Structures are given as C-alpha cells and as structure tokens.
Amino acid sequence: MEEQDEKTQRPGPLAVIGSVVAAAFGVQSSRNRERDFTHGRFRNYAITAIIFVGVFIATVFSIVKMVLS
C-alpha cells in the first residue's frame, strides 16, 4: 500500500529541485526520471530549471570576476 501511494504522489518541491540539479549534471536515476515524467508537472520543472540556470550563471560569473580581480 505504501509503495502504491508513493508512486501516485506528485513530487514535492525538494524532489523537483533535486531532479533538476541531478538532470543538469547528468546523474538522474531512471526511477526518479520515471516519477518525474509520470507524476510531475512540466511547469514546476521548467520554472525550477530557469531559476537554477540563473543562479548557476551568476555563481560562475561571480567566481570568475573574483579570481580575475
């Protein structure tokens, strides 16, 4: 019963963030990928991915600027 409930629940915010980060680095597990495509909403992943990319670019830019100064 628990296993069935786990499969039918939508991924929470932390699961979405974890999936986006794992996918960005290419280490997403097939189990999580299956959960994301089956029960996740595209909008949640798209918004999270856009925010992640923005933070990633800002971090890399800041590090490069700090190293060059």
Side-chain angles (χ1 to χ4, degrees):
M1 182 92 167
E2 263 182 52
E3 202 172 310
Q4 188 178 19
D5 290 340
E6 184 180 343
K7 288 183 181 178
T8 58
Q9 288 182 341
R10 289 182 191 248
L14 290 178
V16 172
I17 292 169
S19 289
V20 168
V21 171
F25 291 106
V27 294
Q28 179 74 297
S29 70
S30 60
R31 179 179 167 205
N32 286 347
R33 183 179 43 80
E34 184 71 29
R35 179 202 62 208
D36 296 342
F37 279 99
T38 305
H39 301 293
R41 290 181 137 168
F42 174 75
R43 180 185 63 163
N44 295 345
Y45 292 97
I47 291 170
T48 305
I50 290 168
I51 292 170
F52 173 78
V53 169
V55 169
F56 182 78
I57 289 172
T59 302
V60 170
F61 181 78
S62 298
I63 291 171
V64 169
K65 193 171 183 176
M66 191 171 43
V67 167
L68 292 179
S69 63

